[in-house]
mmCIF file of all heavy atoms in Angstrom:
data_model
loop_
_atom_site.group_PDB
_atom_site.id
_atom_site.type_symbol
_atom_site.label_atom_id
_atom_site.label_comp_id
_atom_site.label_asym_id
_atom_site.label_seq_id
_atom_site.Cartn_x
_atom_site.Cartn_y
_atom_site.Cartn_z
ATOM 1 N N THR B 165 9.411 11.020 -1.875
ATOM 2 C CA THR B 165 10.734 11.114 -2.435
ATOM 3 C C THR B 165 11.767 10.545 -1.467
ATOM 4 O O THR B 165 12.642 9.746 -1.812
ATOM 5 C CB THR B 165 11.054 12.541 -2.763
ATOM 6 O OG1 THR B 165 10.058 13.133 -3.533
ATOM 7 C CG2 THR B 165 12.400 12.654 -3.491
ATOM 8 N N ALA B 166 11.615 10.922 -0.182
ATOM 9 C CA ALA B 166 12.572 10.533 0.847
ATOM 10 C C ALA B 166 12.303 9.192 1.440
ATOM 11 O O ALA B 166 13.135 8.608 2.169
ATOM 12 C CB ALA B 166 12.659 11.605 1.913
ATOM 13 N N ALA B 167 11.105 8.618 1.260
ATOM 14 C CA ALA B 167 10.666 7.446 1.909
ATOM 15 C C ALA B 167 11.631 6.248 1.757
ATOM 16 O O ALA B 167 11.931 5.586 2.775
ATOM 17 C CB ALA B 167 9.254 7.022 1.457
ATOM 18 N N PRO B 168 12.147 5.968 0.548
ATOM 19 C CA PRO B 168 12.985 4.834 0.487
ATOM 20 C C PRO B 168 14.313 4.992 1.331
ATOM 21 O O PRO B 168 14.944 3.940 1.651
ATOM 22 C CB PRO B 168 13.411 4.792 -1.009
ATOM 23 C CG PRO B 168 12.261 5.474 -1.724
ATOM 24 C CD PRO B 168 11.853 6.527 -0.782
ATOM 25 N N LEU B 169 14.649 6.193 1.668
ATOM 26 C CA LEU B 169 15.807 6.427 2.464
ATOM 27 C C LEU B 169 15.532 6.379 3.980
ATOM 28 O O LEU B 169 16.473 6.490 4.820
ATOM 29 C CB LEU B 169 16.434 7.820 2.120
ATOM 30 C CG LEU B 169 17.035 7.918 0.727
ATOM 31 C CD1 LEU B 169 17.457 9.355 0.537
ATOM 32 C CD2 LEU B 169 18.196 6.987 0.553
ATOM 33 N N LEU B 170 14.244 6.298 4.310
ATOM 34 C CA LEU B 170 13.860 6.455 5.712
ATOM 35 C C LEU B 170 14.611 5.596 6.680
ATOM 36 O O LEU B 170 15.036 6.052 7.750
ATOM 37 C CB LEU B 170 12.341 6.268 5.835
ATOM 38 C CG LEU B 170 11.615 7.190 6.751
ATOM 39 C CD1 LEU B 170 10.262 7.601 6.216
ATOM 40 C CD2 LEU B 170 11.416 6.499 8.129
ATOM 41 N N PRO B 171 14.868 4.322 6.366
ATOM 42 C CA PRO B 171 15.586 3.465 7.336
ATOM 43 C C PRO B 171 17.012 3.914 7.500
ATOM 44 O O PRO B 171 17.675 3.673 8.485
ATOM 45 C CB PRO B 171 15.586 2.058 6.739
ATOM 46 C CG PRO B 171 14.425 2.139 5.703
ATOM 47 C CD PRO B 171 14.389 3.474 5.211
ATOM 48 N N VAL B 172 17.612 4.560 6.441
ATOM 49 C CA VAL B 172 19.031 4.952 6.476
ATOM 50 C C VAL B 172 19.195 6.422 6.888
ATOM 51 O O VAL B 172 20.090 6.758 7.715
ATOM 52 C CB VAL B 172 19.656 4.724 5.076
ATOM 53 C CG1 VAL B 172 21.198 4.847 5.224
ATOM 54 C CG2 VAL B 172 19.273 3.350 4.505
ATOM 55 N N GLN B 173 18.321 7.304 6.338
ATOM 56 C CA GLN B 173 18.475 8.688 6.664
ATOM 57 C C GLN B 173 17.084 9.265 7.031
ATOM 58 O O GLN B 173 16.372 9.765 6.132
ATOM 59 C CB GLN B 173 18.971 9.473 5.423
ATOM 60 C CG GLN B 173 20.456 9.429 5.296
ATOM 61 C CD GLN B 173 20.890 10.205 4.023
ATOM 62 O OE1 GLN B 173 20.992 9.635 2.941
ATOM 63 N NE2 GLN B 173 21.081 11.479 4.124
ATOM 64 N N PRO B 174 16.727 9.159 8.263
ATOM 65 C CA PRO B 174 15.345 9.600 8.637
ATOM 66 C C PRO B 174 15.036 11.061 8.302
ATOM 67 O O PRO B 174 13.881 11.468 8.270
ATOM 68 C CB PRO B 174 15.286 9.292 10.186
ATOM 69 C CG PRO B 174 16.462 8.465 10.455
ATOM 70 C CD PRO B 174 17.472 8.745 9.430
ATOM 71 N N GLN B 175 16.043 11.856 8.199
ATOM 72 C CA GLN B 175 15.822 13.306 8.011
ATOM 73 C C GLN B 175 16.008 13.686 6.493
ATOM 74 O O GLN B 175 16.074 14.862 6.200
ATOM 75 C CB GLN B 175 16.968 14.101 8.792
ATOM 76 C CG GLN B 175 16.803 13.786 10.302
ATOM 77 C CD GLN B 175 15.605 14.443 10.916
ATOM 78 O OE1 GLN B 175 15.222 15.542 10.508
ATOM 79 N NE2 GLN B 175 14.990 13.779 11.845
ATOM 80 N N ALA B 176 16.025 12.698 5.598
ATOM 81 C CA ALA B 176 16.309 13.029 4.202
ATOM 82 C C ALA B 176 15.259 13.907 3.621
ATOM 83 O O ALA B 176 15.461 14.638 2.684
ATOM 84 C CB ALA B 176 16.433 11.732 3.405
ATOM 85 N N TRP B 177 14.062 13.900 4.183
ATOM 86 C CA TRP B 177 13.027 14.712 3.620
ATOM 87 C C TRP B 177 13.347 16.209 3.679
ATOM 88 O O TRP B 177 12.812 16.992 2.793
ATOM 89 C CB TRP B 177 11.638 14.459 4.411
ATOM 90 C CG TRP B 177 11.670 14.778 5.846
ATOM 91 C CD1 TRP B 177 12.034 13.841 6.865
ATOM 92 C CD2 TRP B 177 11.424 15.983 6.503
ATOM 93 N NE1 TRP B 177 11.917 14.459 8.085
ATOM 94 C CE2 TRP B 177 11.563 15.762 7.943
ATOM 95 C CE3 TRP B 177 11.083 17.253 6.041
ATOM 96 C CZ2 TRP B 177 11.399 16.763 8.810
ATOM 97 C CZ3 TRP B 177 10.881 18.266 6.987
ATOM 98 C CH2 TRP B 177 11.033 18.036 8.337
ATOM 99 N N ARG B 178 14.192 16.590 4.609
ATOM 100 C CA ARG B 178 14.574 17.982 4.584
ATOM 101 C C ARG B 178 15.253 18.460 3.323
ATOM 102 O O ARG B 178 15.107 19.559 2.825
ATOM 103 C CB ARG B 178 15.612 18.224 5.748
ATOM 104 C CG ARG B 178 14.963 18.013 7.136
ATOM 105 C CD ARG B 178 15.894 18.471 8.246
ATOM 106 N NE ARG B 178 15.390 18.091 9.521
ATOM 107 C CZ ARG B 178 14.424 18.876 10.116
ATOM 108 N NH1 ARG B 178 13.948 19.978 9.635
ATOM 109 N NH2 ARG B 178 13.949 18.518 11.373
ATOM 110 N N ARG B 179 16.040 17.486 2.692
ATOM 111 C CA ARG B 179 16.772 17.838 1.405
ATOM 112 C C ARG B 179 15.710 18.129 0.340
ATOM 113 O O ARG B 179 15.763 19.096 -0.411
ATOM 114 C CB ARG B 179 17.557 16.563 0.984
ATOM 115 C CG ARG B 179 18.217 16.750 -0.307
ATOM 116 C CD ARG B 179 19.131 15.516 -0.600
ATOM 117 N NE ARG B 179 19.864 15.668 -1.829
ATOM 118 C CZ ARG B 179 21.044 16.262 -2.022
ATOM 119 N NH1 ARG B 179 21.561 16.843 -0.919
ATOM 120 N NH2 ARG B 179 21.702 16.301 -3.111
ATOM 121 N N TYR B 180 14.632 17.230 0.259
ATOM 122 C CA TYR B 180 13.729 17.379 -0.837
ATOM 123 C C TYR B 180 12.693 18.489 -0.541
ATOM 124 O O TYR B 180 12.105 19.038 -1.468
ATOM 125 C CB TYR B 180 13.145 16.027 -1.177
ATOM 126 C CG TYR B 180 14.200 15.031 -1.449
ATOM 127 C CD1 TYR B 180 14.602 14.048 -0.557
ATOM 128 C CD2 TYR B 180 14.889 15.189 -2.696
ATOM 129 C CE1 TYR B 180 15.637 13.221 -0.872
ATOM 130 C CE2 TYR B 180 15.936 14.284 -2.962
ATOM 131 C CZ TYR B 180 16.318 13.337 -2.100
ATOM 132 O OH TYR B 180 17.356 12.521 -2.431
#
Side-chain angles (χ1 to χ4, degrees):
Chain B
T165 308
L169 294 175
L170 220 139
V172 191
Q173 278 179 268
Q175 301 287 322
W177 58 269
R178 296 189 184 278
R179 177 176 183 86
Y180 302 104

